[in-house]
Amino acid sequence: MWPMYSGVGWRMDVPLGCVVLPILCFFCGIHTISGEACYQNLTATDKPQIFTSPGYPLKYAPNLRCLWHIRASDPSKVVVLETLDSMIHTSIDCSEDTASVFKGPSAQFSVMVRKWCGDIRYYLDASNSYFLFFRSNSKYENRGFQVRYYQASGSGPCNRDLVATRNAQDLISPGYPVGYFHDLSCIYTIRAQQSTDRIQIDVVDMHIENSLTCENDNITIVDPSLAAHVVGTICGQMTPSYQSSGPDLQITFNSNSVKETKGFMIKYKSILNSDCGNDKLIATDVDSYLVSPGYPSRYYSNLACRWTISSNDPRRTIEVEVMYLGISGTPPACNEDKLEVDYLHSSSPNEVICGSSTPTQRFVSMGNTMLITFTSDSANEGQGFYIRYRQVQGNTSSASCNQTLTATGTEQVLTSPGYPHISLMSQTCSYTIRAQTGYHIRVTLNDLDIERARVCRYDSLAISDGTPTLDELWCGKSAGEVVNSQRSDITVTYSIDNSNNGHGFSLKYSAVRETASSVQTMTLPTRSTPLYLSSPGFEKRYPRGITYNYILTADPRQQIRLRVKESYLRYNTANGACLSQRVRLYDGPSSASLQLKSMNTRQYGWCALDLPVFVSSSNYMTMVYKTSNFADHARIGFVLTYEHGNFNDMYPYTCGGIYLASSQGIAITSPNYPQNYDSNLICKWTIWAASNMTEIRLAGNFSLVGGIGANCGEDYLTVYDGAAEPTNFLSKLCGTSSDTLQSTGNLLTIVMETDSGYNGKGFRFLFYETTDPLPCGGSLSASLTNSYLRQRIRPNTSCEWVFTRESNDTYIKLELLSYDIGMRNDGTCGADHVAIYDGNSEASARIALLCGYRSVATFIGTGGQMMVKLVTGASPVGYGFNIEYSSSAAERCSTKDRRATGLVAYLQSPSYPNQYESNLRCTWLIDSGKADYIVMFNILLASIVYSDGCKDDYLAAYDGMSEASSVQLGKWCQSVDRTETQHSTQQYVTIVFHTNEDVSGGGFRLSYWRDAKAIEGGSGALGTNVGAILGGIFGGLILLAVVIVVIVCVVKRPLSKGAKSSYGGGQAAPAVTYQPQRATAYMHPPSTSPNAYAYDNRTYDAMPHDHFPQYNAHPKHQGSNYKVQDHEYSQPGPAHDNEYAHLGHVQGHDYSQAGPNQANTYSQPRPVEQDEYSQPGPVERDEYSQSGPVQQNGYSQPIHMSPPRYDDIQSAGNNDLSVSYI
């Protein structure tokens, strides 16, 4: 009975019948993801094809069981499988997610040949039938794999017989240039097409795992004509050339299972026997051989051959041994044919050899290069020569490997021995860097290229200052990282073995006073090959409470790819859930850019054990890593790689992209255009021009849901003059309109954002590069629909825009959304400014002259046209302006005179309750209509921009017909909730509202009415001859009434409403002091707004008399003391519906009404039963005006009273009200 497949510990020779058939038993459980088959039969042809895991390159699903059967269409050929990309969740023995390959004609007679997880890549070409099985568990999914398959003759492209012609051909390693595969053993036999020719090979590109003797991965060149002697064994990054001695040459390529890099490209061709070029040879620790053309046969006449031999390690020298010599000529003159050894860069004379030499001769170079030349004449050719060469240990000193260095304020450079040449010597170097006491040391890693391994166990660069804070350990390829010491000295330790080494390291160090900040920023330039980045202190220490900002950069046409290789960010060890903040990625040069979503996990950033992939849409990417203040397991951090390239084909975007502008217009559209775009989009288009001297012009139409202009709501486009950074903001587009925009440099970015609601049509733009500035000035029509004028400043500009209203019954409204134009140091406008005119030319009245930096100012014209003029000098400062223009029915100032009557009327600022305009000077004259009436008013609400002394924006009231000749009653700015009642002393009040050209507020609203002027010697503004009225009305009862009136007058003098005036916060007339006589009098506290007193809905307790403020009254009433009696309520201003107009316990006065509606007034004094209100000022509808005691709603004891609400006052609006006065 076959055991069920477990995926753990299977031997390479286990029959597939023990594995695959049980797999086939659960085909019913094979998943299909998004319509992708998880079980397929594939046929390999000569043309390469690709299959991938479900969901690739984003993310495979959990609990998958997938199987692919790949067979050759021609049974005589083999199937070639190349794993182009693989990222499968890593686990011990690949026990969780795994891919396995079996070979054999059927499931019953097959064996497992490979099993893997992680990022390992394999190449297989040993069968005409393969099965690939893929399994995933329930967590930690990754991007999966991509496999290329095709059929090939013989044993596949890794073992090939090649024919060389006079034209050079390419030979590449499997997987080049992405990377070669594990466990390769490839043999390439090259034969010249002409049997009399020889073979020449030139290694033009090679990146193979390096080692001292190339014992790991290597290329070996064998010359069959020399009894299968090895001509050369090479690895690392060499580019040598070789020539065979006959028509055949053999190349072998071997790789192990440790490391794969790019691979190689070799050009091969046939050459004439007599050809002898200028070849470059590489000496390694392995013996290599050089022979004369035609060896072991006779060499040719008239040769002039040159071979330059260089050591693989620049610190090593070259040893050359002449194993056989047969050259025509007589030493030492060697006048016929000769072999010459040139030591190069040395004063030693050249070695000249000819004749026959036995035993061998040995030569050692003075440096790391040596030149060998061979010349022959036209006769007497010999057999030639046979040379062996290798690199040997030179006379190097270790003095530079262990040093003590001094850090200063100037950056200095420290490099590893031999940098940037590859070193294959085992060595350990220690550098101590010291600074003055009180200073710290900053180290910036310019370049690191050494072998990478877990915990850097082979090669490493360590930096430590003896504290737990700085203990870095780096390996692999890296650059750009910055560390700061806590002490004034650090130790740099560099350790490498003798294999797989790179260029070494280069770093900068300097002394600084400041210690490491809690926010550290590093700029990391990318390369075309991946660079590694480990989180600070990974596997050594955990830096607590620090924010690391990594800014990755690339060339303009490149994207950046970041792949997380290992992640152990704080997580729940039971289920892998996140416990820490996510590492965030941004699609731009700062964290103000748009967040990046992972290509495989589809999440913003990552945490826990996730292994995401991120691809930028431009040449910038920013990563923000914030560490917590505690750590709860040993390994916290991550390892990732980053590189630049063009990844659009591998990771296609659903929207956005990178575009190169040309002089011809290129169209871009929103997704699905002209159909509606999708919800929840964040798309970015990066447009750039190749020349730094050109700009990008963008023109087109758009229709997006929600808002217009600066009030964009749901969906909108943001255009940036450069990268997508707030400081580069150019425009925000929404609604339905068209626009033309232009950058000031060779980069422009468009970002589209949509919400989850309704969608619109989107946009279509044309873009092209240009050297012409955007047209400046022109005529614009102001309609009821908002339009926009945006202008970036340029040198030596003079532009005029004339706005014309579409309808004669409207006014032009210009809202300056923002402007940034240079200002002089003294705060005045110089050569750079914007002027706004109330007409169509500079001869019109100038409303404003603007410079500096401002936002939101509004201007309304008084006629049919307005003009905006922009002027700049030779070196302007700032970005320009953004204006929203339209026509409005609102006048700039409706300054018609107002007539005050017995009804409450209202006056408000232009555009109220919206923001008022800039540069207003509005004056209203309010007339009571009669010389014996005065004007009463309340400021109900004001929101005016505050300034010291109310010198900029303000509301002012004057006691008379003009501002110049009248006494100021009050002046207000900032916020006013409500003032107490104000009044004039004569027939007129002048109201002035002034604003400057700066920011605006909400404006004001006030109420006004008229009242009878006080009679001299009477009881106040509303006093009347009560005795005369009573005598006329009651006739025969006058005597009794007079007696009653006299008694009342003796007991208590009546309170006059008109005697009291609040100052309202501005300049006011001299004060008369109200002197409350009882501690139980009820007053209203002042509002929190300066320069005003206000009511609200709260209940107020009694205050002792020494806490009452002093109130100002007009000079007319000075000298009178007004006594407030127990339980009386004094509330100026109009009252509202169902409010009571009684005076409690007031003796000696009737209540009559000045003005209309005099019926039903109180004609005799009476006691008020309960909680009655004393309220001067007009009283609105439903007032109680009958004589006699009040039967209902009467109250006999005082309570804490809440004053009327402002909302009630405001809700009255401009309704006609019948107002009676007490």
Side-chain angles (χ1 to χ4, degrees):
M1 198 64 168
W2 290 318
M4 291 298 290
Y5 176 76
S6 67
V8 181
W10 282 95
R11 294 183 330 205
M12 301 294 288
D13 57 350
V14 174
L16 187 61
C18 300
V19 179
V20 174
L21 288 185
I23 294 173
L24 298 177
C25 293
F26 57 74
F27 276 180
C28 58
I30 285 179
H31 291 65
T32 299
I33 308 300
S34 302
E36 296 180 77
C38 205
Y39 169 71
Q40 289 181 290
N41 284 307
L42 304 175
T43 301
T45 64
D46 293 342
K47 181 180 179 180
Q49 303 173 72
I50 288 176
F51 70 90
T52 66
S53 56
Y56 179 89
L58 302 180
K59 187 178 183 180
Y60 54 77
N63 301 313
L64 286 176
R65 301 292 185 273
C66 301
L67 185 69
W68 292 266
H69 182 198
I70 308 100
R71 69 183 73 192
S73 61
D74 183 347
S76 65
K77 296 183 178 181
V78 296
V79 171
V80 179
L81 296 182
E82 297 177 356
T83 311
L84 300 181
D85 183 34
S86 176
M87 179 53 74
I88 303 172
H89 175 68
T90 303
S91 59
I92 298 175
D93 294 329
C94 298
S95 58
E96 296 179 355
D97 300 355
T98 184
S100 304
V101 178
F102 305 83
K103 70 175 182 178
S106 65
Q108 194 172 10
F109 301 101
S110 301
V111 294
M112 181 190 295
V113 292
R114 289 287 184 270
K115 184 178 76 170
W116 79 90
C117 55
D119 59 354
I120 296 176
R121 300 172 60 248
Y122 283 110
Y123 173 92
L124 301 169
D125 63 352
S127 174
N128 64 358
S129 175
Y130 283 108
F131 296 85
L132 191 152
F133 173 66
F134 175 59
R135 181 188 70 176
S136 68
N137 65 6
S138 60
K139 58 181 180 179
Y140 308 141
E141 290 71 43
N142 218 297
R143 69 174 180 268
F145 59 81
Q146 182 185 54
V147 174
R148 179 165 58 195
Y149 66 100
Y150 53 95
Q151 66 181 10
S153 301
S155 56
C158 194
N159 295 276
R160 300 167 63 187
D161 294 328
L162 306 172
V163 177
T165 65
R166 298 288 171 86
N167 296 320
Q169 302 174 66
D170 292 336
L171 171 64
I172 60 174
S173 57
Y176 178 90
V178 175
Y180 57 85
F181 304 93
H182 281 271
D183 301 326
L184 289 176
S185 181
C186 302
I187 300 175
Y188 307 94
T189 300
I190 306 174
R191 177 179 292 272
Q193 191 176 45
Q194 301 292 329
S195 59
T196 56
D197 286 353
R198 296 184 295 128
I199 305 296
Q200 176 172 321
I201 62 171
D202 298 291
V203 181
V204 296
D205 187 24
M206 183 174 78
H207 289 76
I208 296 175
E209 182 182 1
N210 209 347
S211 61
L212 187 63
T213 58
C214 297
E215 70 271 18
N216 297 321
D217 301 351
N218 58 66
I219 296 175
T220 301
I221 299 98
V222 176
D223 191 340
S225 300
L226 300 176
H229 272 300
V230 175
V231 175
T233 300
I234 55 176
C235 58
Q237 299 179 37
M238 308 176 188
T239 55
S241 299
Y242 297 96
Q243 290 180 352
S244 67
S245 60
D248 299 297
L249 196 67
Q250 187 181 82
I251 300 174
T252 62
F253 174 50
N254 298 286
S255 70
N256 59 17
S257 59
V258 177
K259 183 178 181 181
E260 306 81 34
T261 56
K262 189 175 182 180
F264 65 81
M265 172 185 283
I266 294 174
K267 289 189 177 293
Y268 64 94
K269 65 180 179 179
S270 63
I271 59 174
L272 295 172
N273 269 329
S274 58
D275 285 351
C276 189
N278 185 8
D279 292 338
K280 296 184 298 181
L281 308 176
I282 304 295
T284 68
D285 288 62
V286 179
D287 290 340
S288 297
Y289 298 88
L290 172 64
V291 296
S292 55
Y295 184 88
S297 301
R298 302 176 70 85
Y299 57 84
Y300 304 96
S301 302
N302 301 309
L303 292 176
C305 304
R306 292 168 58 91
W307 296 274
T308 302
I309 306 175
S310 301
S311 62
N312 190 27
D313 186 336
R315 298 171 300 168
R316 312 280 291 279
T317 57
I318 300 165
E319 179 184 79
V320 171
E321 291 184 84
V322 180
M323 309 296 292
Y324 173 83
L325 185 67
I327 298 175
S328 299
T330 304
C334 298
N335 292 323
E336 299 173 1
D337 304 339
K338 60 184 176 183
L339 180 68
E340 190 170 1
V341 178
D342 186 345
Y343 291 110
L344 297 176
H345 314 299
S346 172
S347 57
S348 299
N350 295 347
E351 303 285 350
V352 179
I353 311 169
C354 61
S356 299
S357 177
T358 304
T360 61
Q361 300 181 59
R362 180 175 176 271
F363 308 95
V364 178
S365 68
M366 301 297 178
N368 68 327
T369 57
M370 178 182 286
L371 175 65
I372 296 179
T373 60
F374 176 55
T375 58
S376 65
D377 60 14
S378 59
N380 301 321
E381 293 80 13
Q383 190 175 359
F385 62 86
Y386 173 33
I387 293 175
R388 181 175 64 188
Y389 63 93
R390 62 183 299 158
Q391 68 178 6
V392 294
Q393 185 66 46
N395 296 320
T396 59
S397 171
S398 61
S400 63
C401 190
N402 296 279
Q403 302 179 57
T404 297
L405 307 170
T406 300
T408 65
T410 302
E411 282 190 329
Q412 301 175 69
V413 176
L414 173 64
T415 62
S416 57
Y419 178 88
H421 301 288
I422 295 174
S423 173
L424 296 177
M425 294 176 55
S426 298
Q427 59 183 326
T428 298
C429 302
S430 179
Y431 307 90
T432 300
I433 305 176
R434 291 193 172 98
Q436 294 181 18
T437 303
Y439 282 78
H440 307 272
I441 298 173
R442 175 171 296 162
V443 174
T444 302
L445 186 63
N446 293 331
D447 182 33
L448 178 66
D449 181 16
I450 56 178
E451 183 178 6
R452 178 169 186 83
R454 175 64 59 85
V455 297
C456 301
R457 62 183 180 271
Y458 301 131
D459 301 346
S460 64
L461 179 66
I463 300 179
S464 173
D465 66 355
T467 70
T469 305
L470 179 58
D471 189 11
E472 293 293 342
L473 184 66
W474 295 326
C475 57
K477 291 186 177 182
S478 186
E481 298 185 56
V482 179
V483 296
N484 295 271
S485 72
Q486 297 295 311
R487 297 171 51 180
S488 59
D489 61 282
I490 63 171
T491 300
V492 178
T493 304
Y494 174 60
S495 179
I496 59 173
D497 60 15
N498 63 356
S499 68
N500 202 26
N501 299 332
H503 300 295
F505 74 86
S506 171
L507 58 82
K508 294 184 294 188
Y509 63 94
S510 62
V512 294
R513 282 194 175 275
E514 65 271 17
T515 57
S517 169
S518 60
V519 178
Q520 299 186 25
T521 301
M522 309 176 202
T523 299
L524 308 178
T526 59
R527 300 176 186 171
S528 58
T529 55
L531 293 174
Y532 276 84
L533 174 66
S534 299
S535 59
F538 181 58
E539 297 194 304
K540 297 265 301 184
R541 62 174 180 82
Y542 181 74
R544 291 172 170 81
I546 299 178
T547 298
Y548 297 93
N549 297 315
Y550 300 91
I551 302 173
L552 282 62
T553 65
D555 293 334
R557 295 190 65 175
Q558 302 292 329
Q559 296 169 279
I560 298 172
R561 178 171 65 177
L562 183 150
R563 295 190 285 185
V564 180
K565 297 291 188 178
E566 298 181 57
S567 178
Y568 302 94
L569 299 174
R570 296 189 61 247
Y571 65 95
N572 186 317
T573 54
N575 57 22
C578 298
L579 294 178
S580 63
Q581 292 191 53
R582 302 182 74 85
V583 180
R584 297 290 180 180
L585 278 297
Y586 300 90
D587 193 17
S590 77
S591 57
S593 306
L594 294 174
Q595 278 204 68
L596 263 181
K597 186 178 285 188
S598 167
M599 303 303 296
N600 56 332
T601 67
R602 309 308 295 167
Q603 300 293 319
Y604 290 109
W606 90 90
C607 68
L609 304 178
D610 291 345
L611 300 177
V613 177
F614 298 92
V615 177
S616 70
S617 64
S618 66
N619 60 324
Y620 287 98
M621 182 187 291
T622 298
M623 181 176 71
V624 178
Y625 170 47
K626 296 182 178 181
T627 65
S628 64
N629 289 311
F630 57 91
D632 52 9
H633 58 88
R635 300 185 71 202
I636 299 183
F638 57 81
V639 177
L640 57 82
T641 63
Y642 59 93
E643 62 194 305
H644 68 238
N646 190 331
F647 305 106
N648 283 332
D649 293 338
M650 187 178 296
Y651 304 99
Y653 280 86
T654 58
C655 59
I658 302 177
Y659 295 86
L660 177 64
S662 68
S663 58
Q664 302 298 318
I666 301 173
I668 55 173
T669 63
S670 55
N672 302 328
Y673 185 89
Q675 306 302 319
N676 285 358
Y677 51 78
D678 295 327
S679 301
N680 301 310
L681 290 177
I682 299 181
C683 309
K684 186 167 78 168
W685 291 264
T686 301
I687 305 170
W688 71 285
S691 171
N692 292 330
M693 304 303 292
T694 59
E695 300 172 355
I696 309 295
R697 183 172 297 175
L698 183 78
N701 304 308
F702 54 89
S703 179
L704 297 104
V705 173
I708 56 174
N711 299 314
C712 293
E714 293 84 1
D715 306 337
Y716 53 87
L717 300 172
T718 308
V719 184
Y720 298 91
D721 185 12
E725 292 290 291
T727 54
N728 296 330
F729 174 81
L730 179 59
S731 182
K732 198 169 190 178
L733 308 177
C734 57
T736 299
S737 187
S738 61
D739 210 340
T740 299
L741 303 169
Q742 187 162 320
S743 66
T744 57
N746 65 334
L747 180 65
L748 185 140
T749 306
I750 306 169
V751 176
M752 179 179 186
E753 297 188 51
T754 69
D755 67 2
S756 58
Y758 296 105
N759 301 328
K761 186 177 180 180
F763 69 84
R764 184 180 188 273
F765 289 125
L766 287 175
F767 66 87
Y768 56 92
E769 64 176 346
T770 179
T771 56
D772 299 328
L774 196 65
C776 180
S779 298
L780 302 171
S781 178
S783 65
L784 295 176
T785 302
N786 292 336
S787 300
Y788 300 89
L789 169 63
R790 303 171 185 86
Q791 183 65 38
R792 301 302 293 264
I793 62 173
R794 301 173 184 271
N796 302 313
T797 299
S798 179
C799 305
E800 295 179 353
W801 293 268
V802 176
F803 301 84
T804 304
R805 66 188 180 188
E806 288 187 349
S807 174
N808 290 334
D809 59 353
T810 59
Y811 299 87
I812 300 171
K813 180 180 178 181
L814 304 180
E815 185 168 356
L816 196 62
L817 302 179
S818 62
Y819 68 93
D820 181 7
I821 299 171
M823 179 187 291
R824 289 174 175 165
N825 293 333
D826 60 1
T828 62
C829 297
D832 307 334
H833 62 265
V834 171
I836 300 178
Y837 297 90
D838 191 14
N840 60 6
S841 69
E842 293 184 76
S844 308
R846 191 176 71 187
I847 299 175
L849 183 67
L850 307 173
C851 58
Y853 176 80
R854 297 288 187 274
S855 62
V856 189
T858 305
F859 307 92
I860 295 180
T862 60
Q865 291 184 310
M866 294 180 71
M867 187 178 81
V868 173
K869 182 172 183 178
L870 170 66
V871 178
T872 63
S875 301
V877 177
Y879 76 86
F881 62 79
N882 186 6
I883 291 178
E884 178 184 273
Y885 62 94
S886 62
S887 61
S888 171
E891 295 182 49
R892 181 171 170 81
C893 280
S894 299
T895 56
K896 298 177 182 178
D897 293 346
R898 307 298 178 98
R899 174 64 63 87
T901 68
L903 304 178
V904 176
Y906 297 90
L907 173 66
Q908 58 198 27
S909 56
S911 304
Y912 182 87
N914 296 320
Q915 288 189 321
Y916 51 78
E917 291 79 34
S918 302
N919 292 291
L920 291 177
R921 180 73 182 184
C922 303
T923 302
W924 297 272
L925 180 66
I926 304 176
D927 180 5
S928 68
K930 295 181 180 180
D932 57 348
Y933 279 81
I934 60 175
V935 178
M936 315 289 289
F937 64 93
N938 273 339
I939 299 175
L940 303 178
L941 184 68
S943 176
I944 302 171
V945 176
Y946 175 77
S947 59
D948 292 339
C950 296
K951 66 179 184 299
D952 294 332
D953 298 356
Y954 62 81
L955 173 66
Y958 297 89
D959 190 17
M961 294 186 66
S962 70
E963 176 182 358
S965 60
S966 305
V967 175
Q968 189 181 87
L969 296 175
K971 190 176 184 181
W972 299 267
C973 62
Q974 202 174 359
S975 295
V976 177
D977 292 332
R978 187 184 185 209
T979 66
E980 295 189 2
T981 301
Q982 315 287 309
H983 67 80
S984 66
T985 63
Q986 51 181 296
Q987 184 177 344
Y988 301 99
V989 161
T990 299
I991 304 295
V992 175
F993 182 51
H994 173 273
T995 68
N996 69 356
E997 63 192 24
D998 211 330
V999 294
S1000 304
F1004 72 89
R1005 178 178 172 85
L1006 61 81
S1007 63
Y1008 62 91
W1009 65 97
R1010 74 179 184 181
D1011 198 352
K1013 185 186 295 185
I1015 300 174
E1016 289 295 332
S1019 60
L1022 303 177
T1024 59
N1025 192 331
V1026 178
I1029 295 175
L1030 291 176
I1033 296 176
F1034 296 104
L1037 300 176
I1038 189 171
L1039 180 61
L1040 177 60
V1042 169
V1043 172
I1044 294 173
V1045 170
V1046 170
I1047 294 172
V1048 172
C1049 290
V1050 171
V1051 175
K1052 180 176 181 181
R1053 182 170 182 166
L1055 175 65
S1056 171
K1057 161 190 165 181
K1060 178 176 173 182
S1061 175
S1062 163
Y1063 63 82
Q1067 292 81 357
V1072 56
T1073 302
Y1074 287 81
Q1075 298 177 350
Q1077 302 297 307
R1078 303 289 176 89
T1080 53
Y1082 290 77
M1083 304 296 292
H1084 297 289
S1087 75
T1088 56
S1089 302
N1091 309 323
Y1093 286 83
Y1095 295 110
D1096 58 22
N1097 279 328
R1098 286 173 286 185
T1099 299
Y1100 298 101
D1101 295 322
M1103 296 185 295
H1105 66 84
D1106 58 343
H1107 288 175
F1108 278 91
Q1110 293 184 340
Y1111 294 86
N1112 296 332
H1114 196 273
K1116 182 180 180 75
H1117 304 294
Q1118 292 184 22
S1120 300
N1121 290 334
Y1122 295 87
K1123 299 180 180 180
V1124 182
Q1125 306 298 321
D1126 294 355
H1127 313 311
E1128 295 181 357
Y1129 299 82
S1130 177
Q1131 180 171 320
H1136 299 276
D1137 299 353
N1138 299 314
E1139 293 185 353
Y1140 303 101
H1142 306 141
L1143 288 175
H1145 304 292
V1146 178
Q1147 305 293 323
H1149 271 288
D1150 299 336
Y1151 297 86
S1152 61
Q1153 185 173 15
N1157 303 323
Q1158 297 189 18
N1160 299 323
T1161 59
Y1162 290 106
S1163 60
Q1164 59 183 13
R1166 63 166 184 83
V1168 179
E1169 300 298 326
Q1170 296 179 0
D1171 256 29
E1172 298 176 357
Y1173 297 69
S1174 171
Q1175 179 172 318
V1179 180
E1180 300 182 15
R1181 296 184 295 273
D1182 297 329
E1183 296 173 350
Y1184 293 88
S1185 300
Q1186 59 190 9
S1187 58
V1190 178
Q1191 302 301 322
Q1192 296 180 354
N1193 297 326
Y1195 303 98
S1196 60
Q1197 30 184 326
I1199 64 171
H1200 298 309
M1201 159 197 165
S1202 296
R1205 296 176 300 168
Y1206 163 72
D1207 293 340
D1208 296 333
I1209 299 173
Q1210 193 179 40
S1211 65
N1214 292 316
N1215 297 332
D1216 293 332
L1217 303 177
S1218 176
V1219 182
S1220 59
Y1221 297 90
I1222 301 173

